[in-house]
Structures are given as C-alpha cells and as structure tokens.
Amino acid sequence: MKMTRRVLLSVLAVGIATPVFAGEISHELGTTMVPENPQRIVVLEFSYIDALVSVGVVPVGIADDNKPERIMPVYGAVIGDTWTSVGTRKTPSLEVIASLQPDLILADKTRHTDAYATLSQIAPTVVMDSLSGDYTASVEQMLLIGEAIGKADAMNARVADHRAKMADYAEKIRPYAQNVRAQFGVANGEALFLHAPSSYNGSLLARLGFSPAMTPNEGKGYESNYVTTTLEQLSEINPDVLIIGEYADPSVTDNWENDALWNALKAVKDARVYNVEANTWSRLRGMVAAEQTAQDLLTIVGADGSDS
C-alpha cells in the first residue's frame, strides 16, 4: 500500500489543527508521539475495538472487512453504528482513512508494516502484533492502547478485572483439562487451519489448563501459528478434544464425516468434537473474546453444571 498522489492530497487537504502531544509510545515498529486524549481513532484490527470499548471510547473508523456483522453485538452496544468502514483489515483504504481526519491509528504488524510510513503521514500510528501475538501479548496490547489514548488508569482497571475473571475460569476448567490434549482450528469450505500452541488460541487453551495437541513450534508468525492441515495430518495429531469454528456451511470438516480417518480420530470416537462461533474465537483476540472463549470451554468440559 504505497502513498498515491490521491492519498497524499487527501492528507494535505484535511487541514487538521496541530495536536497537543502527550508523549512517546514505543511499539512494534518504533516510537510514535501520540496526541493528548485522541478523539478520532481509526482501528485496523478487531482486538483494538475491544480495547477502546473497554474504556468507553468510540472509534471513528474500523477495518471491518466490509462486513459490519463481524463486530460483536457487545461492541456494537457501545459504539453503535456511527463509525465508518475503512475496508478490509488486510488492505484498508488509505483514502477513506485520510478522509476521517484521524488523530491516532492503531495498526497490526503482520498486515500493515508495509503501509506504516503511509499511515504515519496520515496520523500518528501505533503498531502492535494482534494477528500473530499470543494471549499474553494481547493483554499487554490493551495496556499499551490505554496509554496511547490517555486512558491508562481506566484500562489498568479493566485489565485487572479481566485477569481476575480469567483466573477464576482457569480454576474451574483446569481440573477437567489436566492431561487433555485440546486443539482449536477454523474450517472453511476448502481447508482446515489449526491454531498452533504459540498462537493466541493455542496459548489461551494452555492458560486454561489444556495440553497442546500439536508439537510446539519454534517460530512465531502468521504461517507458524495458523497451519493448513489435511485430514491425514489431523489424524497424526489426533487430539483428545477438537474445537472447530466454521466459516462455511458445509465446511471441509463436515465433508470428512464419512471418511474412515475422521471417524478414527479419538475426539470423534469419544464425542469430543465441538463447534464454536468462529468470529469470536478466531478473529477478535481481545478481552471480551477471551472471556467468551473461557465461558464456552466451561460448557465444553461440563464445569458449568451442564452436560458437555
């Protein structure tokens, strides 16, 4: 995403008043001087919405993949429908971002490194590793965002509350999860993508007491964290519990149901295959999403008093 003449003219034409800068924020791609109490924030990943709504801040622009229904109802209850779509998370529209006259942009390292210089010409830009970061990193990013938007105290309080909730979930889930090899993946119509132990969901499952089904990988990053997996490869991993978020109906795993390899899986034979809401589990990667994931797992293991 290079800076085109049109985008440059858009940036120059907005006529934003010179902001009062609050301080310098260190992030994945360097340091950025951020304005004091930014009011017009554009977010290019869903987890950043989670951070903003946690402290009652409404973004002016969201990279919503041109599908506003992907914004959780709990987010919508705070932000309403007043925000503007800036396109997809992978390739957001620089022209639309510039037209919103933002005073802060929150971007992702994996998706937006190439566009960082361009985004920084539009507004101060803070880059985090939402897509490839693990659960611990996602919580730390909430604190960084709180600092960047001038809401450090409020964010610290929300994070403390989140950590207390997750500790309570872990205490309830861990007795059922001990020595249980759990695996999460998402499936569309053509492929299954397993989330590795170093991924957000892999590390969250471990935090809640489960053992990894996949071999822990040495590298980190998108390709290492989200692994395209055949049925033959899944049979070699052979998890005790298989959790699937489906992006298509039917998904590829639905099409495997009559295959002998599928029916030989331990999770299938033990009736430990569970379908969950893919958007919440896979795309959002924030505190609200983690709490919903933990609640789903509480139900899955039967620790909430229901039959798993």
Side-chain angles (χ1 to χ4, degrees), residues 126-230:
V126 173
V127 179
M128 291 154 286
D129 193 6
S130 175
L131 185 61
S132 298
D134 63 12
Y135 166 70
T136 298
S138 77
V139 177
E140 292 299 320
Q141 289 164 24
M142 303 294 115
L143 296 171
L144 181 66
I145 291 171
E147 184 180 355
I149 64 175
K151 300 280 187 179
D153 290 345
M155 190 66 77
N156 287 342
R158 173 63 177 105
V159 168
D161 176 68
H162 170 70
R163 286 173 169 159
K165 287 180 179 178
M166 296 303 287
D168 182 60
Y169 278 122
E171 184 178 359
K172 293 175 180 176
I173 293 169
R174 195 169 285 121
Y176 299 85
Q178 187 174 10
N179 299 320
V180 175
R181 298 168 61 251
Q183 181 61 55
F184 171 71
V186 295
N188 59 25
E190 292 77 40
L192 172 66
F193 302 88
L194 294 185
H195 290 214
S198 60
S199 70
Y200 171 85
N201 277 296
S203 62
L204 182 53
L205 285 169
R207 176 64 64 91
L208 293 169
F210 291 94
S211 299
M214 298 175 72
T215 300
N217 50 320
E218 295 181 2
K220 292 186 178 181
Y222 184 82
E223 293 78 10
S224 297
N225 282 348
Y226 308 109
V227 183
T228 307
T229 306
T230 65

Side-chain angles (χ1 to χ4, degrees), residues 183-196 199 201 214 222 225-230 234 242-248 251-254 256 274-285:
Q183 181 61 55
F184 171 71
V186 295
N188 59 25
E190 292 77 40
L192 172 66
F193 302 88
L194 294 185
H195 290 214
S199 70
N201 277 296
M214 298 175 72
Y222 184 82
N225 282 348
Y226 308 109
V227 183
T228 307
T229 306
T230 65
L234 179 61
L242 180 59
I243 305 166
I244 299 173
E246 294 186 336
Y247 284 138
S251 72
V252 67
T253 54
D254 293 327
W256 290 344
Y274 303 95
N275 289 319
V276 295
E277 208 282 312
N279 193 55
T280 303
W281 272 66
S282 183
R283 291 192 178 108
L284 302 181
R285 298 186 299 276

Side-chain angles (χ1 to χ4, degrees), residues 102-123:
D103 49 16
L104 182 66
I105 299 170
L106 303 178
D108 177 71
K109 179 181 178 181
T110 301
R111 299 190 195 274
H112 309 124
T113 291
D114 290 344
Y116 175 62
T118 302
L119 292 167
S120 296
Q121 291 183 59
I122 297 173

